[in-house]
Each structure stands twice: as structure tokens, then as C-alpha cells.
PDB file of all heavy atoms in Angstrom:
ATOM      1  N   GLU A   1     112.422 108.360 101.567  1.00 94.00           N
ATOM      2  CA  GLU A   1     113.374 108.225 100.411  1.00 94.00           C
ATOM      3  C   GLU A   1     114.815 108.468 100.902  1.00 94.00           C
ATOM      4  O   GLU A   1     115.721 107.773 100.450  1.00 94.00           O
ATOM      5  CB  GLU A   1     112.957 109.164  99.325  1.00 94.00           C
ATOM      6  CG  GLU A   1     111.679 108.841  98.583  1.00 94.00           C
ATOM      7  CD  GLU A   1     111.848 107.654  97.621  1.00 94.00           C
ATOM      8  OE1 GLU A   1     112.949 107.476  97.217  1.00 94.00           O
ATOM      9  OE2 GLU A   1     110.777 106.999  97.314  1.00 94.00           O
ATOM     10  N   GLU A   2     114.954 109.426 101.704  1.00 95.00           N
ATOM     11  CA  GLU A   2     116.365 109.781 102.164  1.00 95.00           C
ATOM     12  C   GLU A   2     116.873 108.641 103.098  1.00 95.00           C
ATOM     13  O   GLU A   2     118.077 108.373 102.962  1.00 95.00           O
ATOM     14  CB  GLU A   2     116.300 111.119 102.947  1.00 95.00           C
ATOM     15  CG  GLU A   2     115.913 112.274 102.119  1.00 95.00           C
ATOM     16  CD  GLU A   2     114.550 112.484 101.795  1.00 95.00           C
ATOM     17  OE1 GLU A   2     113.693 111.730 102.414  1.00 95.00           O
ATOM     18  OE2 GLU A   2     114.164 113.301 100.982  1.00 95.00           O
ATOM     19  N   GLU A   3     116.027 108.065 103.906  1.00 95.00           N
ATOM     20  CA  GLU A   3     116.437 107.011 104.792  1.00 95.00           C
ATOM     21  C   GLU A   3     116.791 105.771 103.956  1.00 95.00           C
ATOM     22  O   GLU A   3     117.682 105.002 104.370  1.00 95.00           O
ATOM     23  CB  GLU A   3     115.423 106.728 105.789  1.00 95.00           C
ATOM     24  CG  GLU A   3     115.298 107.812 106.887  1.00 95.00           C
ATOM     25  CD  GLU A   3     114.118 107.606 107.737  1.00 95.00           C
ATOM     26  OE1 GLU A   3     113.081 107.018 107.337  1.00 95.00           O
ATOM     27  OE2 GLU A   3     114.151 108.175 108.935  1.00 95.00           O
ATOM     28  N   GLU A   4     116.059 105.510 102.862  1.00 95.00           N
ATOM     29  CA  GLU A   4     116.356 104.337 102.014  1.00 95.00           C
ATOM     30  C   GLU A   4     117.722 104.546 101.408  1.00 95.00           C
ATOM     31  O   GLU A   4     118.477 103.556 101.371  1.00 95.00           O
ATOM     32  CB  GLU A   4     115.331 104.238 100.976  1.00 95.00           C
ATOM     33  CG  GLU A   4     113.951 103.727 101.481  1.00 95.00           C
ATOM     34  CD  GLU A   4     112.908 103.775 100.401  1.00 95.00           C
ATOM     35  OE1 GLU A   4     113.115 104.266  99.314  1.00 95.00           O
ATOM     36  OE2 GLU A   4     111.735 103.290 100.626  1.00 95.00           O
ATOM     37  N   LEU A   5     118.037 105.721 100.967  1.00 95.00           N
ATOM     38  CA  LEU A   5     119.395 105.968 100.385  1.00 95.00           C
ATOM     39  C   LEU A   5     120.477 105.796 101.392  1.00 95.00           C
ATOM     40  O   LEU A   5     121.543 105.169 101.155  1.00 95.00           O
ATOM     41  CB  LEU A   5     119.452 107.419  99.828  1.00 95.00           C
ATOM     42  CG  LEU A   5     120.697 107.863  99.078  1.00 95.00           C
ATOM     43  CD1 LEU A   5     120.982 106.859  97.914  1.00 95.00           C
ATOM     44  CD2 LEU A   5     120.634 109.249  98.650  1.00 95.00           C
ATOM     45  N   GLU A   6     120.212 106.269 102.635  1.00 95.00           N
ATOM     46  CA  GLU A   6     121.174 106.128 103.714  1.00 95.00           C
ATOM     47  C   GLU A   6     121.357 104.653 104.061  1.00 95.00           C
ATOM     48  O   GLU A   6     122.480 104.235 104.308  1.00 95.00           O
ATOM     49  CB  GLU A   6     120.713 106.949 104.894  1.00 95.00           C
ATOM     50  CG  GLU A   6     121.761 107.109 105.982  1.00 95.00           C
ATOM     51  CD  GLU A   6     121.935 105.934 106.939  1.00 95.00           C
ATOM     52  OE1 GLU A   6     120.942 105.175 107.111  1.00 95.00           O
ATOM     53  OE2 GLU A   6     123.018 105.708 107.492  1.00 95.00           O
ATOM     54  N   LEU A   7     120.276 103.919 104.031  1.00 95.00           N
ATOM     55  CA  LEU A   7     120.341 102.452 104.320  1.00 95.00           C
ATOM     56  C   LEU A   7     121.353 101.765 103.347  1.00 95.00           C
ATOM     57  O   LEU A   7     122.183 100.978 103.788  1.00 95.00           O
ATOM     58  CB  LEU A   7     118.938 101.924 104.239  1.00 95.00           C
ATOM     59  CG  LEU A   7     118.845 100.327 104.266  1.00 95.00           C
ATOM     60  CD1 LEU A   7     119.255  99.778 105.590  1.00 95.00           C
ATOM     61  CD2 LEU A   7     117.439  99.888 103.846  1.00 95.00           C
ATOM     62  N   PHE A   8     121.099 101.978 102.078  1.00 96.00           N
ATOM     63  CA  PHE A   8     121.937 101.275 101.105  1.00 96.00           C
ATOM     64  C   PHE A   8     123.336 101.810 100.963  1.00 96.00           C
ATOM     65  O   PHE A   8     124.264 101.094 100.596  1.00 96.00           O
ATOM     66  CB  PHE A   8     121.230 101.326  99.738  1.00 96.00           C
ATOM     67  CG  PHE A   8     120.142 100.381  99.543  1.00 96.00           C
ATOM     68  CD1 PHE A   8     118.827 100.637  99.894  1.00 96.00           C
ATOM     69  CD2 PHE A   8     120.433  99.093  99.057  1.00 96.00           C
ATOM     70  CE1 PHE A   8     117.827  99.659  99.729  1.00 96.00           C
ATOM     71  CE2 PHE A   8     119.419  98.076  98.925  1.00 96.00           C
ATOM     72  CZ  PHE A   8     118.158  98.416  99.260  1.00 96.00           C
ATOM     73  N   THR A   9     123.531 103.054 101.351  1.00 95.00           N
ATOM     74  CA  THR A   9     124.852 103.714 101.310  1.00 95.00           C
ATOM     75  C   THR A   9     125.725 103.259 102.503  1.00 95.00           C
ATOM     76  O   THR A   9     126.917 102.949 102.334  1.00 95.00           O
ATOM     77  CB  THR A   9     124.786 105.223 101.264  1.00 95.00           C
ATOM     78  OG1 THR A   9     123.965 105.651 100.138  1.00 95.00           O
ATOM     79  CG2 THR A   9     126.114 105.862 101.171  1.00 95.00           C
ATOM     80  N   ASN A  10     125.132 103.119 103.648  1.00 94.00           N
ATOM     81  CA  ASN A  10     126.004 103.013 104.840  1.00 94.00           C
ATOM     82  C   ASN A  10     125.652 101.675 105.668  1.00 94.00           C
ATOM     83  O   ASN A  10     126.550 101.266 106.414  1.00 94.00           O
ATOM     84  CB  ASN A  10     125.757 104.230 105.780  1.00 94.00           C
ATOM     85  CG  ASN A  10     126.187 105.509 105.138  1.00 94.00           C
ATOM     86  OD1 ASN A  10     127.187 105.556 104.478  1.00 94.00           O
ATOM     87  ND2 ASN A  10     125.340 106.544 105.313  1.00 94.00           N
ATOM     88  N   ARG A  11     124.566 101.106 105.503  1.00 95.00           N
ATOM     89  CA  ARG A  11     124.196 100.029 106.424  1.00 95.00           C
ATOM     90  C   ARG A  11     123.909  98.676 105.765  1.00 95.00           C
ATOM     91  O   ARG A  11     123.983  97.634 106.349  1.00 95.00           O
ATOM     92  CB  ARG A  11     122.945 100.386 107.276  1.00 95.00           C
ATOM     93  CG  ARG A  11     123.154 101.624 108.169  1.00 95.00           C
ATOM     94  CD  ARG A  11     121.885 102.093 108.753  1.00 95.00           C
ATOM     95  NE  ARG A  11     121.056 100.995 109.252  1.00 95.00           N
ATOM     96  CZ  ARG A  11     119.717 100.918 109.257  1.00 95.00           C
ATOM     97  NH1 ARG A  11     119.029 101.930 108.755  1.00 95.00           N
ATOM     98  NH2 ARG A  11     119.109  99.886 109.804  1.00 95.00           N
ATOM     99  N   PHE A  12     123.526  98.693 104.470  1.00 96.00           N
ATOM    100  CA  PHE A  12     123.066  97.469 103.867  1.00 96.00           C
ATOM    101  C   PHE A  12     124.192  96.445 103.849  1.00 96.00           C
ATOM    102  O   PHE A  12     123.924  95.238 104.003  1.00 96.00           O
ATOM    103  CB  PHE A  12     122.644  97.785 102.403  1.00 96.00           C
ATOM    104  CG  PHE A  12     122.074  96.587 101.644  1.00 96.00           C
ATOM    105  CD1 PHE A  12     120.812  96.098 101.951  1.00 96.00           C
ATOM    106  CD2 PHE A  12     122.923  95.889 100.777  1.00 96.00           C
ATOM    107  CE1 PHE A  12     120.327  95.041 101.278  1.00 96.00           C
ATOM    108  CE2 PHE A  12     122.461  94.798 100.208  1.00 96.00           C
ATOM    109  CZ  PHE A  12     121.127  94.295 100.399  1.00 96.00           C
ATOM    110  N   GLN A  13     125.440  96.871 103.580  1.00 96.00           N
ATOM    111  CA  GLN A  13     126.561  95.866 103.492  1.00 96.00           C
ATOM    112  C   GLN A  13     126.705  95.082 104.829  1.00 96.00           C
ATOM    113  O   GLN A  13     126.848  93.818 104.778  1.00 96.00           O
ATOM    114  CB  GLN A  13     127.861  96.628 103.163  1.00 96.00           C
ATOM    115  CG  GLN A  13     129.057  95.717 103.156  1.00 96.00           C
ATOM    116  CD  GLN A  13     130.298  96.376 102.693  1.00 96.00           C
ATOM    117  OE1 GLN A  13     130.393  96.848 101.515  1.00 96.00           O
ATOM    118  NE2 GLN A  13     131.268  96.552 103.535  1.00 96.00           N
ATOM    119  N   ASP A  14     126.566  95.766 105.904  1.00 95.00           N
ATOM    120  CA  ASP A  14     126.667  95.054 107.229  1.00 95.00           C
ATOM    121  C   ASP A  14     125.534  94.091 107.445  1.00 95.00           C
ATOM    122  O   ASP A  14     125.694  93.030 108.013  1.00 95.00           O
ATOM    123  CB  ASP A  14     126.751  96.053 108.347  1.00 95.00           C
ATOM    124  CG  ASP A  14     128.056  96.832 108.374  1.00 95.00           C
ATOM    125  OD1 ASP A  14     129.045  96.274 107.839  1.00 95.00           O
ATOM    126  OD2 ASP A  14     128.150  97.945 108.929  1.00 95.00           O
ATOM    127  N   GLU A  15     124.320  94.494 106.999  1.00 96.00           N
ATOM    128  CA  GLU A  15     123.194  93.597 107.172  1.00 96.00           C
ATOM    129  C   GLU A  15     123.299  92.382 106.317  1.00 96.00           C
ATOM    130  O   GLU A  15     122.957  91.330 106.749  1.00 96.00           O
ATOM    131  CB  GLU A  15     121.842  94.336 106.772  1.00 96.00           C
ATOM    132  CG  GLU A  15     121.450  95.427 107.859  1.00 96.00           C
ATOM    133  CD  GLU A  15     119.987  95.692 107.799  1.00 96.00           C
ATOM    134  OE1 GLU A  15     119.187  94.832 107.515  1.00 96.00           O
ATOM    135  OE2 GLU A  15     119.646  96.929 107.998  1.00 96.00           O
ATOM    136  N   LEU A  16     123.820  92.574 105.104  1.00 96.00           N
ATOM    137  CA  LEU A  16     124.000  91.416 104.189  1.00 96.00           C
ATOM    138  C   LEU A  16     125.087  90.444 104.838  1.00 96.00           C
ATOM    139  O   LEU A  16     124.952  89.262 104.745  1.00 96.00           O
ATOM    140  CB  LEU A  16     124.473  91.854 102.809  1.00 96.00           C
ATOM    141  CG  LEU A  16     124.640  90.772 101.755  1.00 96.00           C
ATOM    142  CD1 LEU A  16     123.425  89.854 101.674  1.00 96.00           C
ATOM    143  CD2 LEU A  16     125.046  91.398 100.448  1.00 96.00           C
ATOM    144  N   LYS A  17     126.178  91.042 105.354  1.00 95.00           N
ATOM    145  CA  LYS A  17     127.123  90.156 106.037  1.00 95.00           C
ATOM    146  C   LYS A  17     126.597  89.406 107.146  1.00 95.00           C
ATOM    147  O   LYS A  17     126.840  88.206 107.303  1.00 95.00           O
ATOM    148  CB  LYS A  17     128.293  91.065 106.498  1.00 95.00           C
ATOM    149  CG  LYS A  17     129.203  91.639 105.373  1.00 95.00           C
ATOM    150  CD  LYS A  17     130.302  92.356 106.026  1.00 95.00           C
ATOM    151  CE  LYS A  17     131.314  92.950 104.963  1.00 95.00           C
ATOM    152  NZ  LYS A  17     132.349  93.812 105.560  1.00 95.00           N
ATOM    153  N   ALA A  18     125.706  90.039 107.947  1.00 96.00           N
ATOM    154  CA  ALA A  18     125.082  89.335 109.099  1.00 96.00           C
ATOM    155  C   ALA A  18     124.159  88.217 108.560  1.00 96.00           C
ATOM    156  O   ALA A  18     124.167  87.107 109.124  1.00 96.00           O
ATOM    157  CB  ALA A  18     124.293  90.326 109.926  1.00 96.00           C
ATOM    158  N   ALA A  19     123.388  88.470 107.513  1.00 96.00           N
ATOM    159  CA  ALA A  19     122.569  87.419 106.971  1.00 96.00           C
ATOM    160  C   ALA A  19     123.387  86.302 106.401  1.00 96.00           C
ATOM    161  O   ALA A  19     123.022  85.116 106.461  1.00 96.00           O
ATOM    162  CB  ALA A  19     121.730  88.016 105.874  1.00 96.00           C
ATOM    163  N   ALA A  20     124.559  86.564 105.790  1.00 95.00           N
ATOM    164  CA  ALA A  20     125.417  85.545 105.268  1.00 95.00           C
ATOM    165  C   ALA A  20     125.988  84.623 106.346  1.00 95.00           C
ATOM    166  O   ALA A  20     126.016  83.424 106.205  1.00 95.00           O
ATOM    167  CB  ALA A  20     126.606  86.266 104.571  1.00 95.00           C
ATOM    168  N   ILE A  21     126.264  85.213 107.549  1.00 95.00           N
ATOM    169  CA  ILE A  21     126.740  84.396 108.650  1.00 95.00           C
ATOM    170  C   ILE A  21     125.614  83.391 109.116  1.00 95.00           C
ATOM    171  O   ILE A  21     125.852  82.339 109.394  1.00 95.00           O
ATOM    172  CB  ILE A  21     127.152  85.359 109.865  1.00 95.00           C
ATOM    173  CG1 ILE A  21     128.451  86.075 109.485  1.00 95.00           C
ATOM    174  CG2 ILE A  21     127.355  84.498 111.063  1.00 95.00           C
ATOM    175  CD1 ILE A  21     128.822  87.146 110.463  1.00 95.00           C
ATOM    176  N   GLU A  22     124.376  83.934 109.096  1.00 94.00           N
ATOM    177  CA  GLU A  22     123.250  83.134 109.443  1.00 94.00           C
ATOM    178  C   GLU A  22     123.100  81.849 108.609  1.00 94.00           C
ATOM    179  O   GLU A  22     122.718  80.861 109.055  1.00 94.00           O
ATOM    180  CB  GLU A  22     121.919  83.955 109.453  1.00 94.00           C
ATOM    181  CG  GLU A  22     121.870  84.957 110.640  1.00 94.00           C
ATOM    182  CD  GLU A  22     121.558  84.279 111.952  1.00 94.00           C
ATOM    183  OE1 GLU A  22     120.920  83.224 111.996  1.00 94.00           O
ATOM    184  OE2 GLU A  22     122.107  84.862 112.997  1.00 94.00           O
ATOM    185  N   LYS A  23     123.398  82.045 107.327  1.00 93.00           N
ATOM    186  CA  LYS A  23     123.265  81.008 106.364  1.00 93.00           C
ATOM    187  C   LYS A  23     124.531  80.243 106.097  1.00 93.00           C
ATOM    188  O   LYS A  23     124.633  79.444 105.209  1.00 93.00           O
ATOM    189  CB  LYS A  23     122.726  81.554 105.051  1.00 93.00           C
ATOM    190  CG  LYS A  23     121.326  82.000 105.130  1.00 93.00           C
ATOM    191  CD  LYS A  23     120.785  82.455 103.755  1.00 93.00           C
ATOM    192  CE  LYS A  23     119.272  82.886 103.784  1.00 93.00           C
ATOM    193  NZ  LYS A  23     118.413  81.693 104.153  1.00 93.00           N
ATOM    194  N   GLU A  24     125.591  80.571 106.975  1.00 92.00           N
ATOM    195  CA  GLU A  24     126.921  79.937 106.810  1.00 92.00           C
ATOM    196  C   GLU A  24     127.473  80.136 105.386  1.00 92.00           C
ATOM    197  O   GLU A  24     128.040  79.215 104.774  1.00 92.00           O
ATOM    198  CB  GLU A  24     126.820  78.436 107.156  1.00 92.00           C
ATOM    199  CG  GLU A  24     126.402  78.212 108.613  1.00 92.00           C
ATOM    200  CD  GLU A  24     126.398  76.753 108.988  1.00 92.00           C
ATOM    201  OE1 GLU A  24     126.595  75.909 108.070  1.00 92.00           O
ATOM    202  OE2 GLU A  24     126.286  76.455 110.152  1.00 92.00           O
ATOM    203  N   LEU A  25     127.278  81.325 104.867  1.00 92.00           N
ATOM    204  CA  LEU A  25     127.734  81.716 103.573  1.00 92.00           C
ATOM    205  C   LEU A  25     129.021  82.543 103.713  1.00 92.00           C
ATOM    206  O   LEU A  25     129.111  83.443 104.446  1.00 92.00           O
ATOM    207  CB  LEU A  25     126.697  82.570 102.872  1.00 92.00           C
ATOM    208  CG  LEU A  25     127.061  83.259 101.500  1.00 92.00           C
ATOM    209  CD1 LEU A  25     127.117  82.192 100.429  1.00 92.00           C
ATOM    210  CD2 LEU A  25     126.082  84.325 101.131  1.00 92.00           C
ATOM    211  N   THR A  26     130.078  82.204 102.935  1.00 90.00           N
ATOM    212  CA  THR A  26     131.266  82.959 102.953  1.00 90.00           C
ATOM    213  C   THR A  26     131.153  84.162 102.083  1.00 90.00           C
ATOM    214  O   THR A  26     130.699  84.142 100.950  1.00 90.00           O
ATOM    215  CB  THR A  26     132.508  82.187 102.421  1.00 90.00           C
ATOM    216  OG1 THR A  26     132.101  81.626 101.030  1.00 90.00           O
ATOM    217  CG2 THR A  26     132.702  80.977 103.272  1.00 90.00           C
ATOM    218  N   LEU A  27     131.451  85.330 102.707  1.00 91.00           N
ATOM    219  CA  LEU A  27     131.265  86.672 102.057  1.00 91.00           C
ATOM    220  C   LEU A  27     132.446  87.521 102.472  1.00 91.00           C
ATOM    221  O   LEU A  27     132.640  87.744 103.670  1.00 91.00           O
ATOM    222  CB  LEU A  27     129.967  87.257 102.389  1.00 91.00           C
ATOM    223  CG  LEU A  27     129.429  88.550 101.679  1.00 91.00           C
ATOM    224  CD1 LEU A  27     129.239  88.269 100.201  1.00 91.00           C
ATOM    225  CD2 LEU A  27     128.226  89.093 102.323  1.00 91.00           C
ATOM    226  N   PHE A  28     133.178  88.030 101.506  1.00 92.00           N
ATOM    227  CA  PHE A  28     134.366  88.797 101.726  1.00 92.00           C
ATOM    228  C   PHE A  28     134.298  90.141 101.014  1.00 92.00           C
ATOM    229  O   PHE A  28     133.721  90.269  99.950  1.00 92.00           O
ATOM    230  CB  PHE A  28     135.644  88.084 101.310  1.00 92.00           C
ATOM    231  CG  PHE A  28     135.762  86.736 101.880  1.00 92.00           C
ATOM    232  CD1 PHE A  28     135.481  85.554 101.166  1.00 92.00           C
ATOM    233  CD2 PHE A  28     136.184  86.503 103.158  1.00 92.00           C
ATOM    234  CE1 PHE A  28     135.529  84.313 101.712  1.00 92.00           C
ATOM    235  CE2 PHE A  28     136.367  85.263 103.717  1.00 92.00           C
ATOM    236  CZ  PHE A  28     136.028  84.101 102.979  1.00 92.00           C
ATOM    237  N   GLU A  29     134.862  91.191 101.624  1.00 89.00           N
ATOM    238  CA  GLU A  29     134.940  92.481 101.061  1.00 89.00           C
ATOM    239  C   GLU A  29     136.390  92.647 100.366  1.00 89.00           C
ATOM    240  O   GLU A  29     137.343  92.321 101.010  1.00 89.00           O
ATOM    241  CB  GLU A  29     134.676  93.547 102.015  1.00 89.00           C
ATOM    242  CG  GLU A  29     134.646  94.934 101.474  1.00 89.00           C
ATOM    243  CD  GLU A  29     134.381  96.011 102.532  1.00 89.00           C
ATOM    244  OE1 GLU A  29     134.220  95.592 103.709  1.00 89.00           O
ATOM    245  OE2 GLU A  29     134.364  97.224 102.184  1.00 89.00           O
ATOM    246  N   ARG A  30     136.332  93.182  99.173  1.00 86.00           N
ATOM    247  CA  ARG A  30     137.599  93.405  98.436  1.00 86.00           C
ATOM    248  C   ARG A  30     137.422  94.468  97.451  1.00 86.00           C
ATOM    249  O   ARG A  30     136.459  94.439  96.570  1.00 86.00           O
ATOM    250  CB  ARG A  30     138.037  92.099  97.765  1.00 86.00           C
ATOM    251  CG  ARG A  30     139.403  92.173  97.131  1.00 86.00           C
ATOM    252  CD  ARG A  30     140.444  92.031  98.265  1.00 86.00           C
ATOM    253  NE  ARG A  30     141.838  92.012  97.703  1.00 86.00           N
ATOM    254  CZ  ARG A  30     142.880  91.863  98.487  1.00 86.00           C
ATOM    255  NH1 ARG A  30     142.824  91.776  99.810  1.00 86.00           N
ATOM    256  NH2 ARG A  30     144.079  91.841  97.922  1.00 86.00           N
ATOM    257  N   ASP A  31     138.182  95.585  97.548  1.00 83.00           N
ATOM    258  CA  ASP A  31     138.234  96.661  96.513  1.00 83.00           C
ATOM    259  C   ASP A  31     136.881  97.215  96.368  1.00 83.00           C
ATOM    260  O   ASP A  31     136.433  97.584  95.195  1.00 83.00           O
ATOM    261  CB  ASP A  31     138.786  96.159  95.198  1.00 83.00           C
ATOM    262  CG  ASP A  31     140.286  95.758  95.335  1.00 83.00           C
ATOM    263  OD1 ASP A  31     140.994  96.294  96.189  1.00 83.00           O
ATOM    264  OD2 ASP A  31     140.761  94.904  94.516  1.00 83.00           O
ATOM    265  N   GLY A  32     136.062  97.382  97.387  1.00 85.00           N
ATOM    266  CA  GLY A  32     134.743  98.062  97.295  1.00 85.00           C
ATOM    267  C   GLY A  32     133.629  97.206  96.864  1.00 85.00           C
ATOM    268  O   GLY A  32     132.514  97.679  96.681  1.00 85.00           O
ATOM    269  N   VAL A  33     133.845  95.829  96.661  1.00 92.00           N
ATOM    270  CA  VAL A  33     132.791  94.955  96.307  1.00 92.00           C
ATOM    271  C   VAL A  33     132.789  93.795  97.308  1.00 92.00           C
ATOM    272  O   VAL A  33     133.680  93.626  98.086  1.00 92.00           O
ATOM    273  CB  VAL A  33     132.929  94.412  94.912  1.00 92.00           C
ATOM    274  CG1 VAL A  33     132.907  95.511  93.827  1.00 92.00           C
ATOM    275  CG2 VAL A  33     134.232  93.550  94.784  1.00 92.00           C
ATOM    276  N   LEU A  34     131.645  93.046  97.343  1.00 95.00           N
ATOM    277  CA  LEU A  34     131.521  91.912  98.102  1.00 95.00           C
ATOM    278  C   LEU A  34     131.703  90.721  97.264  1.00 95.00           C
ATOM    279  O   LEU A  34     131.066  90.624  96.241  1.00 95.00           O
ATOM    280  CB  LEU A  34     130.160  91.850  98.846  1.00 95.00           C
ATOM    281  CG  LEU A  34     129.961  93.035  99.891  1.00 95.00           C
ATOM    282  CD1 LEU A  34     128.487  93.002 100.287  1.00 95.00           C
ATOM    283  CD2 LEU A  34     130.902  92.962 101.014  1.00 95.00           C
ATOM    284  N   ILE A  35     132.447  89.679  97.743  1.00 94.00           N
ATOM    285  CA  ILE A  35     132.742  88.504  96.994  1.00 94.00           C
ATOM    286  C   ILE A  35     132.168  87.321  97.713  1.00 94.00           C
ATOM    287  O   ILE A  35     132.614  87.088  98.905  1.00 94.00           O
ATOM    288  CB  ILE A  35     134.189  88.334  96.677  1.00 94.00           C
ATOM    289  CG1 ILE A  35     134.689  89.603  95.808  1.00 94.00           C
ATOM    290  CG2 ILE A  35     134.463  87.082  95.896  1.00 94.00           C
ATOM    291  CD1 ILE A  35     136.171  89.560  95.598  1.00 94.00           C
TER     292      ILE A  35
END
């Protein structure tokens, strides 16, 4: 449970960005959200 929380708090954003690159999806960070 603790590792799941750490995943979504610190690492999930980078993993989503990497997945977006794989799909040639434009994804930008702005004011604490992803657009």
C-alpha cells in the first residue's frame, strides 16, 4: 500500500509521459497538471 502511494505521488507522471511518447501523444505539464 505504501509503495502504491509512492508510485502515484512521485513516479506515475514520468511513466505516463514515457507512454505518451510511445504513442506519439503530446503531453505537457502546466501548473501541477498534465495537459
Side-chain angles (χ1 to χ4, degrees):
E1 289 285 337
E2 292 77 13
E3 288 171 334
E4 288 173 353
L5 182 61
E6 193 277 333
L7 168 69
F8 279 89
T9 302
N10 300 317
R11 297 170 46 212
F12 183 79
Q13 178 172 294
D14 289 337
E15 288 202 37
L16 181 56
K17 286 181 178 179
I21 292 173
E22 287 289 326
K23 291 186 178 293
E24 298 183 351
L25 171 75
T26 55
L27 188 65
F28 306 99
E29 183 180 359
R30 189 76 176 180
D31 295 334
V33 301
L34 295 172
I35 298 173

